[in-house]
Amino acid sequence: DAKTTQPPSMDCAEGRAANLPCNHSTISGNEYVYWYRQIHSQGPQYIIHGLKNNETNEMASLIITEDRKSSTLILPHATLRDTAVYYCIVRVAPDSNYQLIWGAGTKLIIKP
Amino acid sequence: KAGVTQTPRYLIKTRGQQVTLSCSPISGHRSVSWYQQTPGQGLQFLFEYFSETQRNKGNFPGRFSGRQFSNSRSEMNVSTLELGDSALYLCASSLWGDTQYFGPGTRLTVL
């Protein structure tokens, strides 16, 4: 079973920051938080991952709480092309399973 | 760098047939994972290969099999197709099992 909990859907206005929350209260010390997104019927796209420090790349920022029990993915200036299902996954990297366990994700709709 | 490629992109088969899907990983990546995505079950892990060896397998019947070649390209095979095998089949590559990068998928329809 997935070790994360995400809201099933969210709306955001175009041009605003989209903040997607994720709860992972049972995360272990050696587990990373990964974010992917999937635009309708395409392959999932890697966004960002982190262990305990906040991370930023050209796509997004990842904020992890100090106790690591939750995190927030931030898309700073959302566009219509950011409409997708966003998945938060926790995993050990590397681990002995080499698999990603997916939940239902958050369907983010960007509105003009 | 070219991304992960999967062929074919779309496939229609009938029950009882078998199918082979192909995946070419990102250059230099040695790990290839396969996932099945259906509306009812979401994304589920099938298996992972590294250097031609299967390192992990998901909870799928033996009709689902795979292999990896020395150039890291991978194939998965589904024999005796069932209607429930209709799905998007996704391949992901990584250097050694770390961050996985996905291909566009193969949409399989079983009639």
Side-chain angles (χ1 to χ4, degrees), chain A residues 34 36 38 40-46 49 87 91-103, chain B residues 9 33 35 37 43-45 48 55-58 88 90 96-105 107:
Chain A
Y34 276 77
Y36 285 82
Q38 187 174 28
H40 182 64
S41 293
Q42 297 180 22
Q45 179 187 22
Y46 165 76
H49 74 282
Y87 296 95
R91 66 167 297 199
V92 176
D95 65 5
S96 60
N97 283 326
Y98 306 104
Q99 64 172 292
L100 299 174
I101 300 175
W102 303 75
Chain B
R9 293 292 312 279
S33 300
Y35 294 83
Q37 186 174 29
L43 273 147
Q44 292 186 291
F45 172 76
E48 187 262 359
R55 291 196 297 192
N56 195 24
K57 189 178 189 305
L88 180 66
L90 294 158
W96 36 261
D98 53 324
T99 301
Q100 296 181 18
Y101 298 91
F102 285 79
R107 172 74 62 186

Side-chain angles (χ1 to χ4, degrees), chain B residues 8-44:
Chain B
R9 293 292 312 279
Y10 302 91
L11 206 50
I12 299 176
K13 292 285 188 179
T14 57
R15 280 181 297 174
Q17 287 187 310
Q18 74 165 12
V19 67
T20 300
L21 312 181
S22 180
C23 172
S24 292
I26 293 170
S27 178
H29 285 192
R30 296 170 63 189
S31 168
V32 173
S33 300
W34 288 89
Y35 294 83
Q36 180 197 65
Q37 186 174 29
T38 60
Q41 298 296 319
L43 273 147
Q44 292 186 291

Side-chain angles (χ1 to χ4, degrees), chain A residues 13-92:
Chain A
E14 188 178 19
R16 305 296 296 269
N19 297 278
L20 293 95
C22 179
N23 285 317
H24 31 80
S25 59
T26 61
I27 193 169
S28 302
N30 60 348
E31 287 185 313
Y32 288 72
V33 180
Y34 276 77
W35 283 85
Y36 285 82
R37 72 180 182 184
Q38 187 174 28
I39 297 169
H40 182 64
S41 293
Q42 297 180 22
Q45 179 187 22
Y46 165 76
I47 301 173
I48 198 167
H49 74 282
L51 184 62
K52 51 184 177 182
N53 297 323
N54 297 337
E55 302 287 345
T56 296
N57 63 21
E58 65 280 2
M59 287 184 65
S61 294
L62 173 60
I63 309 298
I64 303 174
T65 58
E66 196 168 334
D67 63 6
R68 303 208 324 120
K69 293 185 176 182
S70 65
S71 60
T72 300
L73 178 74
I74 301 172
L75 308 178
H77 305 285
T79 71
L80 297 178
R81 286 179 294 181
D82 292 322
T83 293
V85 178
Y86 287 76
Y87 296 95
C88 169
I89 300 166
V90 298
R91 66 167 297 199
V92 176

Side-chain angles (χ1 to χ4, degrees), chain B residues 43-100:
Chain B
L43 273 147
Q44 292 186 291
F45 172 76
L46 281 157
F47 29 65
E48 187 262 359
Y49 287 87
F50 181 84
S51 292
E52 302 178 68
T53 300
Q54 186 183 89
R55 291 196 297 192
N56 195 24
K57 189 178 189 305
N59 190 26
F60 277 83
R63 300 185 297 108
F64 292 81
S65 63
R67 60 176 175 169
Q68 187 181 32
F69 302 95
S70 58
N71 61 358
S72 294
R73 191 178 69 84
S74 177
E75 289 181 347
M76 69 162 281
N77 183 276
V78 188
S79 62
T80 318
L81 284 166
E82 301 176 359
L83 295 178
D85 297 333
S86 293
L88 180 66
Y89 289 89
L90 294 158
C91 162
S93 81
S94 63
L95 281 170
W96 36 261
D98 53 324
T99 301
Q100 296 181 18

